[in-house]
Amino acid sequence: MSDIKDLSIYIHIPFCLKKCFYCDFNSYPYLDMVDDYLDALFFEIRRYKDLKRPIKTLYIGGGTPTVLNEKRLYQLIDTLYKNFKIIKDAEFTVEANPETMTKEKIKVLKRTGVNRLSLGLQTYDDELLKVLGRIHNVKKFEQAFFEAKELGFENINVDLIFGIPGQTKEKFENELKKLIKLEPTHISCYSLSLEEGTVLYEEKKRGAIKLPDEDEERCMYHTAKKLLEKEGYVHYEISNFAKPGKECRHNITYWKCEEYLGFGAGAHSFIGNLRFSNKRGIREYIESLYNRDSIRYDEIHILNIEEKMSEFMFMGLRMLKGVSKDEFKSRFNRDIKEIFSIQIEQLKEQGLIFEDDQSIGLTTKGLDFANLVFMEFIK
């Protein structure tokens, strides 16, 4: 039996028509650089054409991958198939902004083997979409969603944000009920986080906007958990809910600290004991590929065994089923309690984690204090 392990691949498309007011992702409204960027991206991908490892998941994210026209989308996906050994039942996700979706683009994605779409709705309220600086409205989202279903997409994720300025628990609950009626197979439900340098961060700093308080924000989260579980969604990760069997296999790769390669500006990779990331800026990324004298990566870090065990814990605890004791022992040849007994006992006493014969995971209380739990395992 072959001992060649399968691998996941992430492709970054850092272009958007407009930067959203809350976004601190690596994205830019520089559409005049699309062609140069994609040429460099294809060049980077072709460097790995002799990679023997089968690919189990692919994820094209951004930015907004669907700013690319039909021809470029096809070329990108065709380049992936030509250079990698993609397994037959691979999960293949593409992120999409409803405003940039067309029937023609959906047809290209379907024809080229993409089997999972991730639509960035963010809020089912036109006024709140304006608060976030989104370029689409609810009607455009619904059009994109229904067209994707009509053209054969059976696995669709929808992103939803709560804790938006002006959003109440009642408003959010109403939004969620509208979304549930559409029956997406997966819902990613996130609390709004304002990072320094974003428009909303600056507005909050000068008192121009006010976010829901912490109690109301937590109430929204537990409302989502209750409603979605009642409708048959499995709460399998802190912010993610899926119909049975529709959990995002690509993201589970990250949470289980399995290996992946990232291509494009700012993309991260994890192979063996090595974590490394590409140059973040578009021009810097292109230069790093073509100029032999330039520094290839932004960051390279070799993980020691303690760091790998630590990552296994705080990443794995994101999943509601927790971390597997047997898997920890198999991977590190050490008993989990031998390494983390103090942290585990203290967190159990505080009611933040549970422990049974097979696993250790977050309690319902622990979901509200997850970052504090994770900090206990960071070396």
Side-chain angles (χ1 to χ4, degrees):
M1 185 180 288
S2 173
D3 61 353
I4 297 177
K5 292 182 179 179
D6 50 22
L7 195 67
S8 290
I9 282 179
Y10 173 78
I11 306 292
H12 191 66
I13 304 299
F15 302 103
C16 288
L17 295 181
K18 173 193 169 190
K19 191 90 168 174
C20 297
F21 297 158
Y22 60 93
C23 179
D24 73 330
F25 295 155
N26 189 32
S27 61
Y28 312 89
Y30 306 152
L31 299 187
D32 59 319
M33 297 188 69
V34 166
D35 288 342
D36 289 343
Y37 178 81
L38 289 178
D39 288 344
L41 178 63
F42 297 164
F43 177 73
E44 183 186 20
I45 290 169
R46 287 194 293 269
R47 283 183 167 183
Y48 286 80
K49 64 182 175 63
D50 295 323
L51 185 71
K52 303 298 183 185
R53 297 175 65 173
I55 307 305
K56 63 177 180 178
T57 72
L58 302 99
Y59 194 108
I60 303 178
T64 309
T66 47
V67 298
L68 304 182
N69 62 34
E70 292 87 349
K71 179 182 177 181
R72 279 309 208 176
L73 278 172
Y74 177 84
Q75 289 174 332
L76 170 57
I77 296 168
D78 186 55
T79 300
L80 294 172
Y81 278 105
K82 284 180 176 176
N83 289 279
F84 298 118
K85 180 184 176 183
I86 299 170
I87 66 175
K88 189 175 181 180
D89 66 341
E91 178 191 83
F92 194 162
T93 304
V94 173
E95 289 182 353
N97 183 300
E99 189 63 33
T100 59
M101 288 291 279
T102 63
K103 275 192 174 182
E104 290 71 26
K105 289 180 186 180
I106 297 170
K107 287 176 182 177
V108 168
L109 296 178
K110 192 76 177 70
R111 190 171 70 245
T112 52
V114 176
N115 52 31
R116 184 174 184 271
L117 286 182
S118 182
L119 288 176
L121 169 61
Q122 314 310 355
T123 171
Y124 219 124
D125 182 300
D126 281 337
E127 289 306 310
L128 293 179
L129 284 169
K130 292 176 184 175
V131 170
L132 293 177
R134 299 291 290 175
I135 61 174
H136 70 273
N137 57 27
V138 166
K139 183 178 179 181
K140 185 63 179 175
F141 160 74
E142 291 176 339
Q143 178 185 331
F145 182 87
F146 289 123
E147 285 181 348
K149 291 195 80 169
E150 287 167 9
L151 292 169
F153 275 98
E154 299 174 355
N155 194 4
I156 302 176
N157 168 67
V158 177
D159 289 337
L160 199 66
I161 294 176
F162 59 90
I164 302 168
Q167 188 181 47
T168 63
K169 173 187 170 295
E170 290 73 27
K171 274 188 178 182
F172 175 66
E173 187 172 347
N174 185 49
E175 291 181 51
L176 198 53
K177 286 177 178 177
K178 288 180 182 177
L179 180 56
I180 288 170
K181 284 182 180 178
L182 301 186
E183 298 184 332
T185 49
H186 191 286
I187 296 175
S188 295
C189 196
Y190 299 97
S191 174
L192 179 65
S193 176
L194 300 187
E195 303 297 332
E196 192 170 354
T198 62
V199 172
L200 287 183
Y201 176 90
E202 296 303 324
E203 288 185 356
K204 181 177 181 294
K205 189 176 176 182
R206 68 172 189 266
I209 59 170
K210 183 180 179 183
L211 275 65
D213 63 36
E214 187 176 346
D215 288 343
E216 191 165 22
E217 184 266 350
R218 285 293 83 194
C219 189
M220 292 180 192
Y221 176 72
H222 288 285
T223 295
K225 178 177 172 63
K226 181 179 178 181
L227 273 176
L228 289 168
E229 288 180 336
K230 181 183 176 183
E231 294 297 326
Y233 288 86
V234 178
H235 187 194
Y236 73 101
E237 190 271 346
I238 290 176
S239 301
N240 286 278
F241 302 80
K243 292 291 188 178
K246 298 299 184 181
E247 297 86 352
C248 181
R249 288 158 51 193
H250 184 84
N251 285 341
I252 288 172
T253 293
Y254 300 148
W255 300 323
K256 294 186 72 172
C257 296
E258 295 173 346
E259 295 181 327
Y260 57 90
L261 281 172
F263 296 89
H268 288 248
S269 299
F270 174 47
I271 301 292
N273 296 327
L274 200 64
R275 287 198 180 276
F276 53 99
S277 60
N278 287 343
K279 290 291 184 180
R280 185 174 171 88
I282 295 174
R283 289 186 176 84
E284 291 79 6
Y285 164 72
I286 295 172
E287 175 74 11
S288 73
L289 286 170
Y290 295 140
N291 189 340
R292 292 184 179 181
D293 296 327
S294 65
I295 297 173
R296 176 72 177 82
Y297 299 108
D298 248 355
E299 184 180 350
I300 300 175
H301 181 70
I302 301 172
L303 280 75
N304 58 39
I305 187 66
E306 287 78 16
E307 289 172 316
K308 292 187 81 169
M309 289 190 291
S310 176
E311 283 194 358
F312 183 88
M313 293 300 295
F314 69 75
M315 292 298 288
L317 282 168
R318 293 194 62 89
M319 294 184 290
L320 271 287
K321 68 179 183 180
V323 295
S324 164
K325 293 179 179 180
D326 288 343
E327 193 171 343
F328 186 95
K329 190 159 191 175
S330 173
R331 193 176 294 199
F332 304 113
N333 200 29
R334 303 283 291 275
D335 189 276
I336 198 168
K337 296 291 283 285
E338 178 187 347
I339 307 299
F340 296 114
S341 61
I342 294 174
Q343 294 94 324
I344 290 169
E345 292 307 317
Q346 287 179 344
L347 291 167
K348 279 166 61 180
E349 286 177 13
Q350 296 170 44
L352 299 177
I353 64 172
F354 69 83
E355 179 185 9
D356 57 31
D357 291 341
Q358 287 80 38
S359 58
I360 294 167
L362 294 174
T363 61
T364 300
K365 179 182 176 183
L367 290 171
D368 289 333
F369 299 95
N371 287 336
L372 295 179
V373 174
F374 301 156
M375 289 298 295
E376 292 297 317
F377 297 98
I378 295 176
K379 296 288 186 178

